[in-house]
Amino acid sequence: MSKADFRFKSENDSTGFLLWQVTNLWQREIRKSLTKYDLTHSQFVLLASILWFRNQEFEINQITLSNHTKMDPMNTSMVLRTLEKKGLVERVQHNKDTRAKTIDLTLKGKKIAKQSLETVEKFDELFFHPIGNETSFFNKKLISLLSRTE
């Protein structure tokens, strides 16, 4: 293998490699912060999303949740099943469509969602602090990357 095999002179010139490293570091630390709630990161993301939609007074189903989180529908289903077994979410009859089920938080789920959300938001604030006043710009760039895959 030679230097000519790589387009970049330094690993710090590779956006993809840097993103991969930052993502792994961020996910590792998030996992640590969620252990006290007995939640995986995927479980947290679904709980927080359900809480978000609930606060918007929006009925949410599994498909809406999968689309919102960008999680695979099968993975979303498996994680929801686990959250249901833990007593954190419940599936209830849809108000208008008797064939459909909406997803809601139980009282225990709402409590865990709020507590874990506070922990994750504090962690994110510390983790992304080096970005400083460029957070809005950074988020807009991330959104532009997400919109390319839709």
Side-chain angles (χ1 to χ4, degrees):
M1 203 181 297
S2 72
K3 288 183 181 182
D5 292 334
F6 294 92
R7 191 176 114 199
F8 303 109
K9 292 178 183 176
S10 164
E11 65 272 14
N12 291 338
D13 295 332
S14 173
T15 306
F17 186 58
L18 290 171
L19 180 61
W20 183 80
Q21 289 179 313
V22 169
T23 301
N24 279 307
L25 176 62
W26 177 76
Q27 287 180 340
R28 183 173 57 243
E29 297 304 316
I30 285 282
R31 278 193 297 272
K32 286 181 194 175
S33 71
L34 291 171
T35 56
K36 64 182 166 189
Y37 305 105
D38 188 32
L39 293 175
T40 66
H41 197 187
S42 295
Q43 291 169 356
F44 164 75
V45 169
L46 291 183
L47 281 180
S49 295
I50 295 166
L51 182 63
W52 170 265
F53 280 112
R54 192 174 196 262
N55 288 344
Q56 309 303 314
E57 297 180 4
F58 186 84
E59 284 187 340
I60 184 168
N61 60 36
Q62 187 173 312
I63 299 299
T64 306
L65 200 53
S66 178
N67 290 337
H68 173 73
T69 61
K70 308 286 190 263
M71 284 175 65
D72 176 75
M74 288 300 290
N75 192 31
T76 301
S77 178
M78 290 185 332
V79 174
L80 282 173
R81 222 173 294 128
T82 301
L83 290 171
E84 205 168 14
K85 287 177 186 171
K86 288 183 171 188
L88 302 178
V89 300
E90 61 186 348
R91 297 171 202 254
V92 294
Q93 195 65 47
H94 191 280
N95 283 342
K96 296 176 181 117
D97 185 351
T98 57
R99 299 166 296 161
K101 300 274 187 190
T102 59
I103 300 164
D104 203 358
L105 298 170
T106 62
L107 287 176
K108 179 182 173 185
K110 186 176 180 182
K111 179 182 175 186
I112 296 290
K114 286 182 175 187
Q115 290 173 340
S116 60
L117 179 63
E118 185 177 328
T119 298
V120 168
E121 285 182 344
K122 283 180 185 174
F123 168 77
D124 278 352
E125 188 177 322
L126 289 171
F127 186 86
F128 293 107
H129 180 76
I131 295 173
N133 62 1
E134 295 182 42
T135 301
S136 181
F137 175 77
F138 182 71
N139 289 349
K140 285 177 185 172
K141 292 299 180 183
L142 290 173
I143 290 166
S144 73
L145 292 173
L146 285 171
S147 68
R148 292 182 53 177
T149 62
E150 294 183 83

